[in-house]
Amino acid sequence: MQPVTEASNDITQNIDVASPKEIVQLLCSCDVEIFDGWHGYPNIHSNEIIHTIGEIATAGVEILKDPSNNIIVLSGCGTSGRLAFILCRSFNKLLREQGMQECYEYVIAGGDKALFTSQEAPEDDPEAGIQALKQVSQGKRKVLFIGITCGLSAPFVAGQLDYCMDNLDKFTPVLLGFNPLNLARDLPIENWNKTFLQVTKRLEDLCQKHSDKCFILNPIVGPEAIRGSSRMKGGSVTKILLETIFTISHHIRDDKNQSLHIMVQSLLSAYRHVYEMTYSYMDDIAVMIQWAAESLNNNGHVYYIGVDSLATIGIIDASECPPTYSSSLEDIRGFIYGGYTTYKNKEGDISHHVSNGEPFNISINNFQENLIDQLACNDTVLFLLTYQDVCNENDSVTQLTKSILQYTKHIGAIYFTEPHNPSGNTDESTVLSYFKHVAMVTLPWHRIQETISPVFPTLSGTKLYEELRHFVGFLCEISLKWILNAISTGSHIMKGKIYKNLMIDVKVSNNKLYHRAISIIQKFAGCSLEEARCALIKSIYKTDTLTAEQGSAAISKHIDMATTMNKVVPAALLIAVRQCSVHEAIQILNDVKVVSKAILMSK
Ligand code: S6P
């Protein structure tokens, strides 16, 4: 059986021919599975999952008692690592505000470069994972380690979990992912002696022996809207669960009498209110998908501009488009006021240390100095702002908006009003009047307050709001994540990148993607696994007759070759469907630019 995270979602089978508004409706129906679950598997509201969330939060409390000697490490690859970064950034800020030492550390496969561009190869390296964990935990007494891998598949995380299990006196390992445990990846990992499934089984056994020393958290949220695109539901549920866990850890530090079960339920319900509220802005989101699609279809660009944490969500959404849609690094980009100083990644400003610096130039100054003069009417610019941001950056946002308007009319804002007091003020309406379209998003604070107030019986009104300001920030971020995921997904669908609900032109840049590519070819060509594998390898080596060496080379060799190549999978698919030569397949793809059309014509 296929892992749930790699399966095709029945809901989105026709998303490739949907209108912008229908795309948002389909994404909404798909995202509700985060809360309602899928096919009767345990979901985020199941008792055992709520219990485990409470246990991990309690383990967090132990770490927070001595933040100078203990740390919480969040680690993952790709989107999972980027979310690890955002979460650490937020909780360290909370610690600073509470006058405590920062003790959250993120690890992302491939280092900070992977925050902005895809670095898929390090995902396959368990030893690199172990080394990164050793480095970050050196000299620490206790470590709560959260290994995030939506597909229960990343070797980088497998290595780290295994290392934690060898050192249980220091490490409390947690595996976070969204497949049933028996569907953890059971394929050999090159240069290692275990599969992910074996690591999972070892952890499962240890959890039974030491129920307070190791944890597995794996609610099932159903397949992704675009097959395998775990940046979407996988990323959202990662954010929801870890924010819930550590918000609770911070709040029960002093009050042990709290009912963990009620706390977890209440915070999770708040996210559901925000999910419902977000998709009620369907018409606004559809307008922005339409703009972004027009830009991408006319060789234009989409730029997200934001302040602080909303900008980080924008930069992350942009960084995921090249690996997901094989789009160019310039197509969708994100910028942040204050650049790296505000971004607060570990390695600081890395824009000068990398060969193609463009995606690493994230500062708004860079946008103003290098891009603004090149803007054209086919570009879309979206500002990502909260009420607070507009108060703090009023003048510069106004100036920038006026300058952009000289070049393009596609200038919009996703604006989060002050939920506690959403009536607005003059500054706000002046700034917003420059945008051609504003999605005025108001969190349902009253509903949220009703849901969470039993957890904080001594607080109400403004006091409750102030106490939970960081949590309100998380709610704005998840709402924005849903909106931007819809815009970037929807615009690429309208560019013809998707066939049914599948990204055919997937880059073969790591082991997971290699196997996904073979499964795509097998499914659409209706051929055997071996025929699909041969077609892929022929496409990678651009040959109709494979040598013995090519046919039997290690998967990592194929990946090395394929990583820098374009349209490897579409060509392989045509080879398998038409039984044609590599040359002919490439010729067809050159003639018919949109991959899905080329495939349809061949069927
Ligand atoms: C998925 C994204 C990828 C994944 C990465 C880690 O949309 O493009 O970068 O996040 O492959 O996956 P996982 O299953 O280990 O969280």
Side-chain angles (χ1 to χ4, degrees):
M1 188 185 162
Q2 213 169 29
V4 179
T5 54
E6 285 289 318
S8 162
N9 198 314
D10 290 342
I11 298 170
T12 53
Q13 289 301 322
N14 296 323
I15 201 165
D16 56 337
V17 288
S19 68
K21 189 161 174 184
E22 287 163 349
I23 290 174
V24 190
Q25 280 162 341
L26 290 168
L27 296 179
C28 174
S29 310
C30 211
D31 276 335
V32 81
E33 292 172 341
I34 292 176
F35 301 97
D36 290 351
W38 187 76
H39 290 200
Y41 282 103
N43 65 36
I44 61 171
H45 291 292
S46 304
N47 278 336
E48 65 263 44
I49 298 289
I50 291 189
H51 178 77
T52 308
I53 293 175
E55 295 273 289
I56 304 169
T58 310
V61 175
E62 288 307 307
I63 298 287
L64 292 174
K65 280 182 184 160
D66 185 6
S68 31
N69 286 311
N70 302 337
I71 49 169
I72 295 169
V73 178
L74 310 183
S75 175
C77 312
T79 302
S80 298
R82 293 177 198 124
L83 286 167
F85 157 70
I86 288 208
L87 286 153
C88 288
R89 184 182 182 277
S90 305
F91 282 104
N92 279 334
K93 181 170 176 228
L94 182 61
L95 283 173
R96 285 198 303 276
E97 283 166 7
Q98 293 174 336
M100 290 168 70
Q101 186 168 330
E102 297 183 3
C103 72
Y104 289 86
E105 291 276 355
Y106 67 91
V107 175
I108 179 164
D112 275 3
K113 269 200 292 187
L115 294 174
F116 311 103
T117 57
S118 73
Q119 307 286 324
E120 268 114 359
E123 179 167 332
D124 289 340
D125 190 346
E127 195 49 46
I130 296 170
Q131 289 313 322
L133 178 58
K134 277 186 182 167
Q135 199 183 354
V136 86
S137 58
Q138 201 174 23
K140 296 294 170 188
R141 207 165 55 80
K142 292 278 173 209
V143 180
L144 174 59
F145 171 80
I146 317 272
I148 313 163
T149 169
C150 300
L152 303 188
S153 55
F156 186 85
V157 175
Q160 295 175 326
L161 288 168
D162 204 51
Y163 176 73
C164 290
M165 287 187 274
D166 289 340
N167 297 282
L168 278 183
D169 48 333
K170 173 166 171 173
F171 292 92
T172 301
V174 179
L175 166 60
L176 176 61
F178 311 109
N179 278 318
L181 296 187
N182 62 325
L183 296 181
R185 181 165 282 239
D186 196 22
L187 293 170
I189 295 174
E190 271 179 50
N191 304 321
W192 214 47
N193 56 358
K194 295 181 180 117
T195 68
F196 203 102
L197 182 66
Q198 287 165 340
V199 173
T200 307
K201 288 212 163 116
R202 182 178 176 206
L203 188 59
E204 210 180 357
D205 288 347
L206 278 177
C207 287
Q208 270 159 18
K209 282 194 210 123
H210 311 276
S211 60
D212 59 338
K213 276 299 291 167
C214 324
F215 305 96
I216 299 178
L217 185 58
N218 65 325
I220 304 306
V221 297
E224 295 290 349
I226 302 301
R227 194 179 142 190
S229 182
S230 57
R231 75 184 193 113
M232 301 182 77
K233 281 203 278 190
S236 301
V237 70
T238 296
K239 189 163 155 52
I240 291 171
L241 292 175
L242 292 177
E243 286 167 358
T244 300
I245 288 170
F246 294 115
T247 294
I248 293 175
S249 300
H250 280 257
H251 284 284
I252 57 171
R253 257 185 312 146
D254 308 317
D255 186 357
K256 281 284 172 69
N257 297 322
Q258 297 270 12
S259 158
L260 280 175
H261 199 92
I262 294 178
M263 275 191 118
V264 177
Q265 279 283 24
S266 307
L267 296 186
L268 293 178
S269 302
Y271 282 99
R272 188 184 182 117
H273 295 327
V274 173
Y275 153 80
E276 284 164 5
M277 174 279 301
T278 302
Y279 282 107
S280 72
Y281 293 93
M282 212 162 254
D283 291 323
D284 294 308
I285 304 172
V287 169
M288 293 180 186
I289 291 180
Q290 183 68 44
W291 283 7
E294 280 171 28
S295 293
L296 296 185
N297 275 318
N298 292 295
N299 296 321
H301 310 90
V302 179
Y303 297 120
Y304 301 142
I305 292 179
V307 182
D308 204 14
S309 72
L310 295 191
T312 61
I313 299 286
I315 290 172
I316 287 177
D317 185 83
S319 73
E320 289 160 344
C321 294
T324 312
Y325 298 108
S326 290
S327 57
S328 106
L329 291 167
E330 280 76 37
D331 285 358
I332 302 192
R333 284 182 63 184
F335 296 90
I336 183 167
Y337 275 80
Y340 281 93
T341 314
T342 320
Y343 206 63
K344 291 204 178 350
N345 56 312
K346 258 198 289 213
E347 294 171 32
D349 185 344
I350 54 172
S351 56
H352 308 297
H353 307 303
V354 287
S355 49
N356 173 8
E358 268 322 289
F360 303 94
N361 285 326
I362 54 168
S363 123
I364 196 70
N365 292 343
N366 184 266
F367 178 82
Q368 281 169 310
E369 283 159 20
N370 301 325
L371 281 171
I372 206 159
D373 294 345
Q374 294 172 28
L375 280 177
C377 59
N378 55 353
D379 291 328
T380 295
V381 184
L382 298 177
F383 280 69
L384 322 172
L385 300 166
T386 63
Y387 167 81
Q388 209 55 48
D389 300 336
V390 166
C391 295
N392 297 343
E393 300 288 349
N394 191 326
D395 289 345
S396 59
V397 171
T398 308
Q399 287 312 322
L400 190 54
T401 315
K402 283 185 189 164
S403 314
I404 294 168
L405 269 169
Q406 296 169 23
Y407 303 95
T408 176
K409 300 282 171 267
H410 281 179
I411 170 165
I414 298 158
Y415 175 66
F416 291 87
T417 61
E418 176 68 6
H420 188 47
N421 177 19
S423 53
N425 67 15
T426 344
D427 279 356
E428 178 182 74
S429 38
T430 314
V431 177
L432 297 179
S433 67
Y434 293 106
F435 295 104
K436 296 291 173 199
H437 194 95
V438 181
M440 280 281 243
V441 184
T442 302
L443 292 187
W445 176 242
H446 287 297
R447 278 177 83 195
I448 296 168
Q449 194 176 356
E450 264 170 38
T451 311
I452 55 181
S453 56
V455 180
F456 302 94
T458 55
L459 300 172
S460 62
T462 307
K463 279 210 169 123
L464 179 67
Y465 182 72
E466 286 306 324
E467 176 70 19
L468 286 180
R469 199 172 258 286
H470 78 281
F471 187 67
V472 172
F474 293 154
L475 298 178
C476 293
E477 286 169 24
I478 189 76
S479 175
L480 181 67
K481 179 179 183 298
W482 278 315
I483 295 173
L484 296 187
N485 284 175
I487 294 172
S488 54
T489 303
S491 52
H492 281 102
I493 289 173
M494 295 186 71
K495 198 182 172 185
K497 289 278 186 171
I498 296 295
Y499 177 58
K500 291 182 183 285
N501 63 357
L502 193 73
M503 173 58 195
I504 292 170
D505 193 4
V506 61
K507 273 245 182 277
V508 183
S509 47
N510 67 25
N511 194 287
K512 175 173 79 176
L513 298 172
Y514 170 85
H515 288 289
R516 188 183 298 164
I518 291 178
S519 133
I520 290 170
I521 299 164
Q522 201 188 349
K523 176 167 179 203
F524 284 102
C527 61
S528 70
L529 187 82
E530 187 49 24
E531 283 164 337
R533 192 184 79 88
C534 275
L536 180 64
I537 300 176
K538 281 180 183 173
S539 171
I540 292 174
Y541 294 97
K542 291 202 171 21
T543 175
D544 295 325
T545 325
L546 290 172
T547 64
E549 202 187 339
Q550 286 164 340
S552 61
I555 293 173
S556 58
K557 285 267 175 301
H558 303 322
I559 295 168
D560 280 350
M561 276 294 284
T563 299
T564 52
M565 294 170 68
N566 288 324
K567 302 211 169 144
V568 171
V569 181
L573 196 50
L574 290 176
I575 294 167
V577 171
R578 299 172 71 100
Q579 300 284 306
C580 67
S581 68
V582 176
H583 177 78
E584 196 186 329
I586 294 172
Q587 195 62 50
I588 296 171
L589 288 170
N590 285 343
D591 293 346
V592 185
K593 294 274 179 267
V594 178
V595 170
S596 51
K597 281 199 189 131
I599 307 299
L600 274 174
M601 279 167 49
S602 305
K603 287 215 100 177

